[in-house]
DNA sequence: CTCTTTCTATACCGATCAGTACATAATGAT
DNA sequence: ATCATTATGTACTGATCGGTATAGAAAGAG
């Protein structure tokens, strides 16, 4: 056809995701975004539609890659307990290129936007549901392998693990004593006994 | 002296707290604030210093009243388990004039401001520490009364309860199925057995 | 080459932001 | 009643916000 784009949409989207992650939706200005994405303002509008649409795309990409990453982590060890612990350690110390100071983009969005915008309530609610399902499947697997006791209420415990992961990602933003938080994480996992 | 103020500082501060609670710090504009506080802009600056100082004052007032409310709730029933459950029910369904859609002002602040501002990391970190202490004292009390088993790790469990409360207040913003969340809360409290 | 199409770059738009200057109104002191 | 002092109300400031008009640059098609 004609003049090709001079940038890679996926790379630009990943850069936008980082900015929203670090600053939040409102606090991320178009100047911040275009600068970090290395594109000009009209290119952003032509490609993504606008700030809100860009954020929606970035958040959805985050949900996808985050869940994929977690799924792999929950399969990283034959022991369910060990891989669960590894997951929580990752939330506490940062994993997959994430900085615990900025928590989870999805959790941040629940706080900032979900109460005022049903679209983001849906997206972030879906994230929680899928994460809970991941936990539940992992617990079920552990029960089947004999590592975990049969009488566990896998569904409720999975929901608790999701709640705990959210709580952890928030609490880490206040830079608490890591040892204390690790003890708490270990205590949470006693629910699997 | 001279012309007296035409408004009550405490009432105005409570109104400001509500606005920050509903909208967050950045999204709360001075127009929002002065309107809900029923004062003029220069009065706000003369009395509180500025938007940031106003927020700081509102947050500190929130921490104080919130902890007092929770302390009373944790003493509301001779049974530690029952009063703990009552507390979590309050987080889920709203209590003390709070709307679960907007969660906890302190949690919201952890997400929005703590990573970028050590002052608010301190205030919100302090809130968590004091809440954890409240939980721990409650657990200790339950152990002494014989309601809870002696071998509980009160310190770690208290930390988990704080984490869970934070997670709950965030998750409620996405309007999940209340029954599911209540089951999870009940599961958390099995840590007390 | 020339034309057409699409992207890029600059510069701009009205709106809104937090914060303030200034004139007026209201009170206690004298 | 007059003055000093403080609060109020209006109107403004420069800066920044998200979004866009417009002109020029780059590439394929003929």
């Amino acid at each position: 056809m004609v003049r090709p784009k001079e940038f890679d949409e996926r790379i630009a989207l990943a850069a936008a995701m980082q900015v929203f992650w670090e600053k939040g939706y409102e606090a991320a200005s178009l100047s911040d975004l275009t600068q970090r994405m290395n594109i000009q303002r009209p290119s952003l509008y032509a490609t993504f539609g606008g700030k809100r649409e860009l954020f929606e795309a970035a958040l959805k990409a985050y949900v996808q890659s985050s869940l994929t990453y977690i799924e792999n982590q929950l399969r990283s060890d034959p022991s369910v307990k060990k891989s669960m612990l590894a997951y929580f350690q990752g939330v506490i110390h940062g994993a997959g290129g994430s900085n615990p100071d900025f928590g989870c983009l999805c959790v941040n969005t629940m706080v900032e936007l979900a109460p005022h915008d049903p679209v983001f309530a849906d997206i972030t609610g879906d994230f929680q549901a899928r994460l809970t399902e991941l936990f539940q499947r992992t617990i079920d697997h552990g029960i089947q392998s004999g590592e975990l006791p049969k009488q566990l209420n896998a569904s409720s415990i999975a929901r608790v693990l999701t709640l705990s992961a959210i709580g952890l990602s928030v609490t880490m933003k206040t830079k608490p004593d890591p040892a204390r938080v690790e003890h708490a994480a270990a205590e949470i996992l006693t629910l699997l006994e």
Side-chain angles (χ1 to χ4, degrees), chain A:
Chain A
M1 299 277 281
V2 288
R3 180 177 180 179
K5 277 194 175 149
E6 295 182 359
F7 63 93
D8 183 325
E9 281 192 28
R10 293 167 308 171
I11 292 178
L13 186 63
M17 190 179 84
Q18 277 293 332
V19 176
F20 285 126
W21 201 348
E22 292 169 13
K23 312 190 80 164
Y25 174 72
E26 287 287 349
S29 73
L30 281 183
S31 303
D32 293 328
L33 289 163
T34 53
Q35 193 173 334
R36 294 272 293 273
M37 297 167 83
N38 260 310
I39 65 175
Q40 303 302 325
R41 213 172 268 228
S43 299
L44 189 157
Y45 277 83
T47 307
F48 299 102
K51 188 187 180 185
R52 186 198 157 94
E53 292 84 350
L54 173 62
F55 179 68
E56 210 173 312
L59 181 61
K60 285 177 177 168
Y62 177 88
V63 167
Q64 195 57 47
S65 78
S66 180
L67 286 172
T68 301
Y69 182 87
I70 295 170
E71 186 170 18
N72 288 331
Q73 198 160 25
L74 290 181
R75 286 201 281 233
S76 63
D77 196 292
S79 160
V80 165
K81 285 187 191 173
K82 281 190 185 172
S83 48
M84 286 284 194
L85 184 60
Y87 165 71
F88 281 110
Q89 296 278 352
V91 175
I92 294 172
H93 293 102
S98 87
N99 181 341
D101 286 6
F102 303 128
C104 164
L105 175 59
C106 214
V107 172
N108 300 350
T109 305
M110 293 177 210
V111 171
E112 184 182 4
L113 300 180
H116 306 286
D117 193 322
V119 169
F120 293 110
D122 275 2
I123 297 175
T124 58
D126 179 64
F127 173 80
Q128 290 178 71
R130 289 163 71 184
L131 180 58
T132 302
E133 201 190 316
L134 238 48
F135 283 138
Q136 178 160 357
R137 285 217 312 269
T138 306
I139 294 170
D140 285 337
H141 188 261
I143 293 175
Q144 299 226 304
S145 79
E147 185 188 358
L148 303 181
K150 287 182 191 161
Q151 70 272 18
L152 290 185
N153 185 338
S155 157
S156 284
I157 294 178
R159 202 79 188 72
V160 172
L161 294 181
T162 297
L163 279 177
S164 303
I166 293 172
L168 273 178
S169 99
V170 172
T171 212
M172 290 314 298
K173 295 183 147 203
T174 64
K175 309 194 206 311
D177 173 14
R180 286 276 185 88
V181 183
E182 287 191 28
H183 289 149
E187 189 72 39
I188 292 167
L189 293 180
T190 65
L191 286 171
L192 297 175
E193 292 169 5

